[in-house]
Amino acid sequence: EGFLRWGQKTKAQSGTGLYKLDQSTSQLVQIKDATVTGAVINRIACSPANANVIALATSKGILVSLDGGSSFSSPVGQLTHSLSMGMDVKFDNTGILYCSQGSELAYSVPAAGIDYGSISSKVFKSTDNQLSALTDITPTNAALPNSVYGRIELAIAPSDNSCIYASCSAKSTSNPTTATQGSESSASMKALFVSYNGGSSWGMAVQGSPANDPLMNGGTIASGDYAQVLSVLPGTKDVLVFGGYRLFIFARNGGTDANPIFSYYQLGTNLINTSPYYLHENIHDIRFFPGSNGFYTTYLVTDAGIFRTTDFFPMSYSTQVFGGSFQPFYKGLVTGQFNSVSIERFPVGANTG
C-alpha cells in the first residue's frame, strides 16, 4: 500500500511488481515487474464473474488484465495526470469494475513540476465487464464547499450490485518541506455517499464533522490519506462498517434514496489498551467470514496488527445488535505493519492461489 506521508515515503521500500503463490512449491512467482505495474500497488481485485480478469490500483493508475496477469492495459477514460494514482478497485458480482483514482495530497510546487493539489480524485465505473473504458461517476453535493477530493474508498453491497458507497476525504497537507509536514487533521472526511443505482446518482449519507468522522480522533488527528476502508455488512445493503482512525457503523434508518438518513456510532476504543473493547487506531482492512452463534468472525487490520471479533456483527441484521469485544490476533506474525488480510483463491486453476 502506498498511502504514506512524506516522512514514511522516504523510508519505504519500492515495490517490485505483482506476484502470485504457486501452491505446488509454496513459492511466490512474479507475474509482472514494476516497470509494468508501477512501484506501488494499492489494491488488487479479481472479478467474481471471470477468474482471469484482474484490476490493479497502482502508481501508474488503473491497470486491468483479461488473461490472468499475462498482460495489462490502461482503460480509456481514467485520469492522465502523471502524479495521479489508482486508489481503490472493486468488482460487483457481474464483473463491472468500480474504481477511484487521483491523489490524497495537496502539496504543490508548480515551478518544479509538482502539483498534487490540482488533482481532484474521481470515481469511475467500467462500461462493461471487458473493462475497455471507464465512465466518471464521481459524487457531488451542493452542501459541500467543493468537490476537490483526496483519497476515495469504495464498497459494494454483496447483497445488491446497485448499492455503492464512496467515502471522500479532504486532501492531506502533508509535505516534505516543513518540520510538522502539514496539518495532522487535514485529511478528514468531506462526505460519505451512497448510490442505489450503480452510480447513476448519489445521495449524501453524512457530511463530515469531528463528531461523526471515522477518519478523525475528534478534531486533532485525521487519517483519511493513510488509513481508510469501507465494508458493507453481508446480508444487508443498509449497514456500512467504516474503518479509519476509529471504527464506525453507519446504518440507514430513513429518508429517500436521494436524501437518505443514516445513524452512526463508534465501535470499540483506542484509548484503553487493557479494555476488551480495545481496537488500535488506523484501520486498513476489514473482512467478514461466517462465524458461530449468529455472528460473523471479523478481522480488522490496524497499524498494531490484526484484531478479531466474534460477537460484534450479527449475521442476521434484524437483530440490530452491535456490541462485543476485540481480541489481538497476531501472535507469531512478525512484520512491521499489517495493511490487508484475505482468505481467497483467484485465479482458480492448477497450482495458483
Side-chain angles (χ1 to χ4, degrees):
E1 205 178 63
F3 297 112
L4 300 173
R5 293 179 179 170
W6 290 101
Q8 287 72 41
K9 283 181 184 289
T10 59
K11 304 172 187 176
Q13 182 177 351
S14 294
T16 57
L18 181 67
Y19 294 77
K20 68 178 181 181
L21 178 66
D22 186 330
Q23 293 184 329
S24 67
T25 63
S26 298
Q27 298 295 314
L28 287 174
V29 178
Q30 189 178 61
I31 299 174
K32 290 294 179 183
D33 63 27
T35 62
V36 175
T37 65
V40 173
I41 300 177
N42 287 320
R43 293 285 189 273
I44 302 170
C46 299
S47 171
N50 185 337
N52 285 315
V53 176
I54 304 170
L56 309 178
T58 83
S59 50
K60 290 193 171 187
I62 304 300
L63 300 176
V64 299
S65 174
L66 304 181
D67 52 18
S70 296
S71 63
F72 283 90
S73 61
S74 299
V76 175
Q78 65 179 292
L79 298 177
T80 58
H81 197 294
S82 61
L83 295 178
S84 69
M85 70 175 179
M87 295 179 166
D88 199 7
V89 283
K90 297 283 170 59
F91 284 101
D92 72 11
N93 291 329
T94 68
I96 297 297
L97 176 66
Y98 294 82
C99 56
S100 56
Q101 183 192 10
S103 175
E104 78 276 23
L105 302 171
Y107 178 61
S108 295
V109 184
I114 302 172
D115 191 11
Y116 293 101
S118 68
I119 305 171
S120 180
S121 300
K122 303 290 185 181
V123 179
F124 297 99
K125 177 182 179 180
S126 67
T127 55
D128 54 38
N129 59 13
Q130 294 301 298
L131 315 185
S132 57
L134 300 175
T135 300
D136 186 346
I137 59 166
T138 307
T140 60
N141 191 282
L144 299 177
N146 59 63
S147 56
V148 179
Y149 301 133
R151 182 172 171 181
I152 299 176
E153 288 291 307
L154 306 172
I156 303 172
S159 60
D160 186 345
N161 283 331
S162 298
C163 182
I164 318 296
Y165 289 86
S167 62
C168 301
S169 72
K171 282 181 169 288
S172 168
T173 60
S174 168
N175 69 79
T177 61
T178 64
T180 59
Q181 297 194 337
S183 170
E184 289 295 315
S185 64
S186 56
S188 58
M189 180 176 69
K190 295 192 80 164
L192 173 65
F193 294 94
V194 61
S195 172
Y196 296 100
N197 52 22
S200 295
S201 62
W202 297 86
M204 188 165 66
V206 64
Q207 185 173 356
S209 72
N212 67 15
D213 189 350
L215 302 178
M216 298 192 79
N217 69 342
T220 60
I221 299 174
S223 66
D225 58 323
Y226 167 68
Q228 185 179 168
V229 62
L230 308 181
S231 190
V232 183
L233 190 69
T236 177
K237 64 182 179 182
D238 292 327
V239 179
L240 180 75
V241 184
F242 190 150
Y245 190 87
R246 299 178 288 175
L247 183 68
F248 269 55
I249 284 281
F250 289 88
R252 183 173 174 179
N253 57 11
T256 64
D257 288 355
N259 293 286
I261 298 172
F262 278 75
S263 59
Y264 57 87
Y265 46 94
Q266 182 179 348
L267 300 181
T269 177
N270 67 314
L271 300 177
I272 306 172
N273 61 13
T274 57
S275 166
Y277 310 111
Y278 177 75
L279 177 66
H280 199 275
E281 65 270 17
N282 295 327
I283 300 159
H284 299 275
D285 204 2
I286 302 168
R287 297 298 172 105
F288 299 102
F289 301 96
S292 58
N293 300 322
F295 287 85
Y296 288 102
T297 296
T298 307
Y299 297 92
L300 303 104
V301 180
T302 80
D303 277 3
I306 300 171
F307 285 74
R308 179 183 66 178
T309 178
T310 59
D311 54 5
F312 249 121
F313 301 107
M315 296 175 67
S316 173
Y317 177 58
S318 61
T319 60
Q320 300 188 25
V321 175
F322 295 107
S325 60
F326 296 101
Q327 304 87 39
F329 194 71
Y330 47 81
K331 183 178 180 180
L333 299 176
V334 181
T335 187
Q337 180 171 305
F338 297 81
N339 276 4
S340 66
V341 63
S342 180
I343 300 175
E344 59 185 322
R345 184 169 176 249
F346 282 107
V348 176
N351 298 329
T352 61

